Amino acid sequence: PGWFSEISPMWPGEAHSLKVEKILFQGKSDYQNVMVFQSSTYGKVLVLDGVIQLTERDERAYQEMITHLPLCSIPNPKKVLVIGGGDGGVLREVSRHSSVEQIDICEIDKMVVDVSKQFFPDVAVGYDDPRVKLHIGDGVAFLKAVPEGTYDAVIVDSSDPIGPAQELFEKPFFASVAKALRPGGVVCTQAESIWLHMHIIEDIVANCRQIFKGSVNYAWTTVPTYPSGVIGFMLCSTEGPPVDFKHPVNPVDRDDICCKSKRPLKFYNSEIHSAAFCLPSFAKKVIESK
Ligand SMILES: NCCCN[C@H]1CC[C@H](NCCCN)CC1
């Protein structure tokens, strides 16, 4: 009864609103406020500290892109690490790749996992995959303990740089990701909006270029319920076998029939993979000059 508006100092002067049918959960974990509500037109919505994390209607756009942009860019990914992503949506997408043997996930807030399993079963279905190993803890500390060159791919499905995820946008964290990746390994991180955060993106790209000596690219997609309606990703590879992110070598399309418990891909395909790296001039100028 009424409206939820996503008001934040991260997007001053604007707020996306969703009509609320019923509040289903409100809690406070050790790290953040957690809320779930039934919206009128976007299904159930997960909110952390007042910021929309996902809605049932459009979550697949984000989860499919943040997962398949990296995993379809390398042949035969075997070991994958997810930092954040406690809702399980990225796990659901990683499990579409039959070459994957081990999926580690490090999520700091157990309440996010429990709430997702209770209210978003089609998202948390990712936890049902036997290859998944859940670690509850700080991704920064987790990565420091990872042996060098362990993973083929790391996916950083974080919230925004204000709150628990702040350190996941800083240089030391990127350096620990690079160490945990094999030569020619890939990382994909949530990288904000070109409409709202060009300065944050500028800093992230500059840091990535110093740390990842393979390729460094920025891709973006549309998610109606994220502020400005778009969200971006940093796609980086470590020195080693070259990775051409713009031309997928490992199409997941043929894999999606292998997973019984998941519906076919709703958003990602090979064409939109390549298109995701095409940037408007104002963003291209900043990102490609760094
Ligand atoms: N597993 C999906 C949820 C986590 N990612 C979200 C990415 C967008 C972010 N706000 C958008 C900020 C404007 N770019 C909230 C978390």
Side-chain angles (χ1 to χ4, degrees):
W3 291 75
F4 166 81
S5 294
E6 190 185 39
I7 295 165
S8 167
M10 290 187 285
W11 31 92
E14 61 183 277
H16 185 252
S17 301
L18 289 172
K19 199 165 188 311
V20 178
E21 290 305 313
K22 185 171 188 294
I23 293 179
L24 302 173
F25 176 87
Q26 278 191 303
K28 186 165 176 47
S29 74
D30 295 341
Y31 299 96
Q32 52 208 335
N33 290 303
V34 180
M35 175 173 63
V36 178
F37 67 85
Q38 182 68 50
S39 71
S40 306
T41 52
Y42 274 80
K44 290 194 278 287
V45 183
L46 175 64
V47 179
L48 299 180
D49 280 347
V51 176
I52 293 173
Q53 302 295 304
L54 63 87
T55 82
E56 286 181 311
R57 179 168 161 185
D58 65 1
E59 57 92 10
R60 299 178 80 97
Y62 175 90
Q63 320 276 24
E64 290 182 17
M65 291 297 272
I66 198 171
T67 305
H68 303 308
L69 285 176
L71 294 191
C72 294
S73 295
I74 53 174
N76 286 319
K78 289 186 172 52
K79 292 188 179 178
V80 179
L81 169 62
V82 180
I83 301 290
D87 51 76
V90 169
L91 299 177
R92 176 192 66 208
E93 297 307 318
V94 173
S95 68
R96 290 177 191 274
H97 291 262
S98 46
S99 66
V100 170
E101 296 161 359
Q102 174 185 335
I103 310 171
D104 288 326
I105 174 169
C106 184
E107 163 61 53
I108 199 164
D109 193 345
K110 191 168 179 319
M111 188 179 277
V112 172
V113 179
D114 297 340
V115 164
S116 186
K117 287 180 175 178
Q118 185 180 353
F119 295 99
F120 300 91
D122 290 345
V123 179
V125 65
Y127 286 103
D128 298 348
D129 191 301
R131 294 168 286 178
V132 169
K133 189 166 177 11
L134 169 62
H135 308 261
I136 296 294
D138 181 341
V140 172
F142 183 89
L143 270 164
K144 280 183 187 147
V146 167
E148 192 145 352
T150 301
Y151 294 103
D152 298 294
V154 175
I155 296 168
V156 186
D157 175 17
S158 70
S159 47
D160 299 305
I162 293 189
Q166 181 146 5
E167 282 185 278
L168 304 183
F169 290 81
E170 291 164 3
K171 216 160 140 182
F173 175 71
F174 290 131
S176 67
V177 169
K179 184 176 80 60
L181 283 169
R182 65 154 170 82
V186 295
V187 59
C188 181
T189 78
Q190 189 266 108
E192 304 300 338
S193 161
I194 57 174
W195 282 115
L196 303 171
H197 304 122
M198 230 28 256
H199 295 309
I200 295 178
I201 294 168
E202 197 171 352
D203 292 346
I204 292 173
V205 172
N207 288 338
C208 286
R209 288 212 194 288
Q210 285 174 28
I211 288 166
F212 295 98
K213 293 303 176 193
S215 55
V216 172
N217 300 87
Y218 186 89
W220 63 317
T221 192
T222 124
V223 180
T225 55
Y226 288 160
S228 77
V230 300
I231 188 86
F233 309 100
M234 282 312 299
L235 275 298
C236 309
S237 61
T238 54
E239 192 158 21
V243 176
D244 174 2
F245 285 108
K246 301 185 181 180
H247 301 98
V249 294
N250 171 31
V252 68
D253 309 324
R254 67 178 148 71
D255 271 16
D256 76 5
I257 53 174
C258 80
C259 323
K260 298 164 292 303
S261 61
K262 278 162 284 304
R263 287 190 289 273
L265 288 166
K266 177 177 181 182
F267 191 93
Y268 177 90
N269 58 57
S270 302
E271 294 78 21
I272 211 159
H273 178 125
S274 302
F277 293 88
C278 300
L279 298 174
S281 302
F282 75 89
K284 195 178 164 72
K285 186 159 53 81
V286 167
I287 288 164
E288 294 181 359
S289 70
K290 285 291 125 205

